[in-house]
Amino acid sequence: QVQVMESGGGLVQAGGSLNLSCTASSPTGRGYSLGWFRQVPGKERVGISCISWSGGVTWYRDSVKGRFFMSRDATRNTLVLEMNNLKPEDTAMYYCAAEEGAFDYCSGPRCFSCTWGQGAQVTVSS
């Protein structure tokens, strides 16, 4: 099972920027997609962006398009989410997710076979 761990996040004023980083590793050596999800208390966890192992497929949730950007290193094991022009409604716990075997697709808004990191809190004050 792919292991994932997030870092980054924190508190920022509206209009500011933050980065989240996800580091993943696969004991089996198989490729995997990576994605970012977020969750606020009392609501379901929803996807906001993802990238396939091949890199040929990326997806962003409409509400973050043009503000959030993913970048991945050459090993494909580290994924950074650059979050710009943050809004109070972006406040949530952010999770990195990996789906093993997702070579040419990524999970999009939901993932039923992902492994998850422990989460990183992002708080945007107005």
Side-chain angles (χ1 to χ4, degrees), residues 10-24:
L11 173 64
V12 68
Q13 287 188 328
S17 298
L18 282 174
N19 285 354
L20 293 171
S21 182
C22 173
T23 301

Side-chain angles (χ1 to χ4, degrees), residues 36-37 44-50 59 61 97 99 105-114 116:
W36 290 99
F37 288 69
E44 67 175 332
R45 190 175 299 184
V46 295
I48 56 172
S49 67
C50 64
W59 171 84
R61 195 173 191 83
E99 185 173 5
Y105 69 93
C106 63
S107 56
R110 290 181 179 83
C111 188
F112 301 104
S113 57
C114 281
W116 305 89

Side-chain angles (χ1 to χ4, degrees), residues 14 27 38 40 68 103-104:
R38 66 187 182 190
V40 296
F68 290 15
F103 299 107
D104 294 310

Side-chain angles (χ1 to χ4, degrees), residues 7-79:
S7 61
L11 173 64
V12 68
Q13 287 188 328
S17 298
L18 282 174
N19 285 354
L20 293 171
S21 182
C22 173
T23 301
S25 62
S26 171
T28 65
R30 295 185 69 200
Y32 45 86
S33 67
L34 287 173
W36 290 99
F37 288 69
R38 66 187 182 190
Q39 186 173 25
V40 296
K43 294 191 175 181
E44 67 175 332
R45 190 175 299 184
V46 295
I48 56 172
S49 67
C50 64
I51 182 168
S52 64
W53 175 253
S54 69
V57 175
T58 59
W59 171 84
Y60 291 89
R61 195 173 191 83
D62 283 349
S63 60
V64 305
K65 282 181 181 177
R67 299 190 298 125
F68 290 15
F69 301 95
M70 292 182 294
S71 60
R72 192 172 60 173
D73 72 351
T75 68
R76 294 182 277 190
N77 295 328
T78 299
L79 181 69

